[in-house]
Amino acid sequence: MKNHLVRTHRSAEDFPREEHLAWRIAEVAADPVAVAAETEEMIVNRIIDNASVAAASITRRPVANARAQAQAHPYGPGAAVFGVPGRFSPEWAALANGVAVRELDFHDTFLAAEYSHPGDNIPSILAVAQHTGRDGRDLIRGLAAGYEIQVDLVRAICLHEHKIDHVAHLGPSAAAGIGTLLGLDTETIYQAIGQALHTTTATRQSRKGEISSWKAYAPAFAGKMAVEAVDRALRGEGAPSPIWEGEDGVIAWLLGGPKVEYSVPLPGPGEAKRGILDTYTKEHSAEYQSQAPIDLAFRLRERIGDLDQIATVVLHTSHHTHYVIGTGSNDPQKFDPKASRETLDHSIMYIFAVALQDGTWHHERSYAPERAQRPDTIELWNKISTAEDPEWTRRYHSTDPNEKAFGARAEVTLKSGEVIVDELAVADAHPLGARPFAREQYIAKFRTLADGVIEPAEQDRFLEVAQRTPELSAEELGQLNFTVSDEVLARTPQLPKGLF
């Protein structure tokens, strides 16, 4: 990997295009390097993982609405949409599938200087692959690039401290991945990256206060914008340039300002794209920084015994966890029993309380209104707070994978005055955890979430196709999708009519 220093340049400066971050990224995307076997294996795992969570969310209103928008845009050749037969315009298929994948906050993650869900790259790159008649090998190369670029940007450039949503890294990575998929030249990918960044940079309000369904739509919209950006770039249309480093660019006005430098690591020429191997999926349907605390709560409930004897719980954790999903956010909504599912998913206090009480976690039952409004849950919930611990913050940002951690130390004070302390650095499903996820676990997750949604024979068919992704022909790539029965789709809430 080579580190590239990125800073603002005045318009009058001599700043060659070849030194622009967007150009450097485009060069990585255009490099026809082979995909390593372990990277290929993990990409297949994440294709299965995305389908798992899409199955579990297929009848939820935001997903159904995005699917209805896509169904209003049938197209040939087009791309497939989760749950239904037919082919649709690829940018709308990317949106619909992106919402389905993101709705339950249940797929993969990478945390460093910024947050990310790199699996959000898959819907847009897959949709373009299906539409353009690419094969499985092309798809694997495109996804390896999309993951690589997003992971590299997330390692280097913090967005949330400037209240910019993390999908500002997704637009460029998806555009780069599509460029790799299609074998485009550096110039075309460069223009697409600039357009994708320009159109997907927004504030973090989508993840603050009363969180709405836009949390699921935001990354899906970024994927849609990436598809459209590539289309325009192919037609010869350009982008604001230099998009990151310009005098009125992203760094100068939206990030650290004209005097700040970022060091962005990118693979050198001929270097394999291995970024996906540093990412991790979720065993529980909750924000990633709550994965280890959920497992910790399961472990603690046995030691505590009678939960009514709890006086207070303090979770000592990282800056990110404290300020994003903890009491450091100062969001009263995080203690509101009538809050949206999206808000509860971003309240570690609620999540820890329910995990303590139930000893299990479920993507629907754990967030049900009747579950959130239980008086004993509300009482326990309000006894829980978070505190930033510099050591947990340091480990969160560590570049050593053996030290990097996203957990917490729980201090439970009982009414008797006794203090019970326990900690967990990484979730059980993390590569360094007690039960790391491998192909067997990804398939089990798919089977669990598809139960009662996808017919068993269709589950078998999808899993067989997915595991052959690298060998799929262009004709077979359209089968990398699942359908559900009309009976399942009928469970969708009644939807109001939109424009389309």
Side-chain angles (χ1 to χ4, degrees):
M1 301 289 283
K2 181 179 179 182
N3 287 310
H4 301 273
L5 289 179
V6 182
R7 65 171 178 84
T8 300
H9 290 259
R10 297 190 311 276
S11 298
E13 286 185 54
D14 180 19
F15 183 40
R17 174 177 289 191
E18 292 73 18
E19 296 180 13
H20 297 186
L21 178 58
W23 186 271
R24 307 274 196 195
I25 291 172
E27 287 182 318
V28 173
D31 188 353
V33 63
V35 177
E38 56 269 34
T39 299
E40 182 179 287
E41 172 85 2
M42 189 57 72
I43 288 171
V44 172
N45 288 342
R46 300 306 169 73
I47 289 171
I48 295 171
D49 200 46
N50 271 18
S52 302
V53 295
S57 68
I58 202 76
T59 61
R60 292 179 61 83
R61 190 203 72 248
V63 177
N65 271 322
R67 184 169 62 245
Q69 287 184 307
Q71 288 178 290
H73 295 84
Y75 199 76
V81 168
F82 284 129
V84 294
R87 301 286 280 242
F88 308 92
S89 193
E91 77 279 21
W92 287 101
L95 180 82
N97 292 339
V99 174
V101 163
R102 193 69 188 85
E103 165 69 5
L104 292 177
D105 208 343
F106 204 178
H107 65 328
D108 68 16
T109 301
F110 180 69
L111 304 171
E114 185 50 49
Y115 326 117
S116 67
H117 298 280
D120 292 335
N121 284 278
I122 296 177
S124 57
I125 298 171
L126 175 57
V128 174
Q130 291 174 335
H131 171 67
T132 57
R134 304 293 158 158
D135 62 20
R137 180 60 53 194
D138 294 326
L139 176 63
I140 292 289
R141 291 186 62 253
L143 293 177
Y147 268 84
E148 179 65 48
I149 297 308
Q150 185 161 28
V151 165
D152 293 341
L153 289 171
V154 168
R155 289 188 202 278
I157 300 178
C158 182
L159 301 170
H160 74 272
E161 69 174 306
H162 306 293
K163 312 308 178 188
I164 300 299
D165 193 21
H166 66 67
V167 300
H169 288 332
L170 175 62
S173 68
I178 293 169
T180 302
L181 166 82
L182 299 177
L184 301 182
D185 60 272
T186 302
E187 169 69 22
T188 304
I189 300 173
Y190 166 78
Q191 300 295 352
I193 288 169
Q195 286 192 30
L197 175 59
H198 190 67
T199 57
T200 59
T201 304
T203 72
R204 281 198 77 255
Q205 193 59 41
S206 58
R207 298 163 207 286
K208 180 75 173 171
E210 185 176 345
I211 304 174
S212 75
S213 59
W214 186 251
K215 182 170 75 73
Y217 273 82
F221 179 78
K224 182 175 185 284
M225 291 298 98
V227 176
E228 294 181 358
V230 172
D231 178 71
R232 286 188 293 269
L234 282 166
R235 298 173 187 273
E237 301 303 326
S241 173
I243 186 63
W244 272 285
E245 304 96 334
E247 190 170 342
D248 286 342
V250 171
I251 292 174
W253 289 100
L254 300 178
L255 300 182
K259 297 182 179 180
V260 168
E261 282 189 348
Y262 296 98
S263 181
V264 181
L266 292 171
E271 185 176 354
K273 302 175 177 72
R274 303 171 61 87
I276 192 173
L277 299 177
D278 290 334
T279 67
Y280 18 82
T281 195
K282 297 179 179 180
E283 185 176 11
H284 314 297
S285 178
E287 211 272 1
Y288 192 81
Q289 293 162 106
S290 62
Q291 298 294 300
I294 288 173
D295 292 330
L296 178 59
F298 294 165
R299 195 164 78 186
L300 269 170
R301 70 193 303 269
E302 303 302 325
R303 292 181 60 190
I304 296 169
D306 183 1
L307 300 182
D308 289 338
Q309 296 306 306
I310 294 176
T312 62
V313 178
V314 180
L315 298 175
H316 298 267
T317 187
S318 69
H319 174 95
H320 282 190
T321 305
H322 175 56
Y323 284 100
V324 175
I325 62 174
T327 47
S329 68
N330 294 314
D331 288 346
Q333 296 87 350
K334 286 180 169 43
F335 287 96
D336 182 0
K338 296 183 179 179
S340 66
R341 182 198 189 280
E342 291 85 355
T343 301
L344 296 176
D345 166 70
H346 277 55
S347 170
I348 189 62
M349 293 72 67
Y350 172 77
I351 290 168
F352 201 77
V354 172
L356 273 176
Q357 289 183 325
D358 294 355
T360 187
W361 196 264
H362 190 269
H363 63 281
E364 292 177 337
R365 294 191 295 271
S366 296
Y367 294 105
E370 59 271 20
R371 184 68 195 79
Q373 294 169 29
R374 266 177 43 182
D376 62 331
T377 298
I378 296 170
E379 182 181 0
L380 178 57
W381 183 359
N382 281 275
K383 295 176 180 177
I384 301 171
S385 63
T386 63
E388 181 184 357
D389 184 313
E391 177 60 13
W392 284 104
T393 298
R394 186 192 69 78
R395 292 191 65 183
Y396 186 106
H397 290 290
S398 174
T399 57
D400 180 353
N402 294 312
E403 187 180 50
K404 195 174 184 68
F406 313 106
R409 182 181 77 258
E411 293 186 358
V412 182
T413 302
L414 304 182
K415 293 175 181 177
S416 66
E418 179 186 358
V419 179
I420 299 174
V421 180
D422 199 359
E423 67 178 52
L424 188 62
V426 295
D428 290 346
H430 187 274
L432 298 178
R435 293 177 282 100
F437 261 44
R439 179 65 54 81
E440 177 185 359
Q441 285 73 34
Y442 285 98
I443 290 175
K445 182 176 175 180
F446 176 83
R447 294 287 193 189
T448 298
L449 297 183
D451 184 42
V453 179
I454 305 174
E455 292 293 334
E458 175 68 351
Q459 292 182 35
D460 294 342
R461 183 205 63 78
F462 173 81
L463 287 172
E464 189 275 331
V465 172
Q467 292 183 87
R468 289 194 300 109
T469 295
E471 304 138 29
L472 295 179
S473 67
E475 292 72 25
E476 292 176 305
L477 203 63
Q479 300 173 27
L480 205 54
N481 183 54
F482 63 78
T483 57
V484 301
S485 68
D486 291 340
E487 179 184 358
V488 169
L489 291 177
R491 301 175 197 164
T492 302
Q494 186 68 35
L495 302 176
K497 178 78 173 161
L499 290 176
F500 305 122

